[in-house]
Amino acid sequence: DPKNPDDGIWAGTLPYKFSVDKIKMDNIVEIMTNLQAEQIPEQTFKGTGLEKNSIIIEAKGDNFSHVLMIGDANKDGLYFAKKGDSDNIYLISKETKTQLERRISDLK
C-alpha cells in the first residue's frame, strides 16, 4: 500500500498483479533468508540449469530484496541454486526446492 509502506501486505507482480497470503509469503521469505546449502558444488554454471532461469523467486520490500534462482538437479537429487546478489552456486535439497516452488494459486 503506497499510503502505508509498513503495512506488511504482500502482492505478486508477475505475470500479473495478484494478492498474496501474508502467512504463506512470510514462510517463503523465512526460507530464503535462512537458506542453507546441502553442499557446495564446483563453481561453474555448465550443467546447472541456472542459465535457463526456470525458477526465479524474488521477494522485496522497503528494506530488503531477495532473489533466488533454482536450476536442475544433480545426480544426487540436490538442486543447483544461486542468490541474485552473488555468483556463488549452492546445492539445496529437493524439500527446500519444493517449498519455494509455488504457483500463483498456492500463494493466494
Side-chain angles (χ1 to χ4, degrees), residues 7-58:
D7 64 6
I9 295 175
W10 288 103
T13 58
L14 292 173
Y16 53 84
K17 291 186 177 184
F18 60 95
S19 61
V20 174
D21 179 272
K22 181 178 179 352
I23 293 171
K24 291 177 182 178
M25 194 60 207
D26 286 348
N27 183 45
I28 290 172
V29 171
E30 178 74 20
I31 293 167
M32 291 176 72
T33 301
N34 297 311
L35 190 67
Q36 293 189 9
E38 296 292 320
Q39 294 177 18
I40 307 296
E42 182 180 340
Q43 297 297 298
T44 179
F45 282 94
K46 185 177 180 182
T48 64
L50 290 166
E51 72 284 353
K52 295 186 242 175
N53 296 327
S54 55
I55 300 174
I56 299 175
I57 304 150
E58 182 176 8

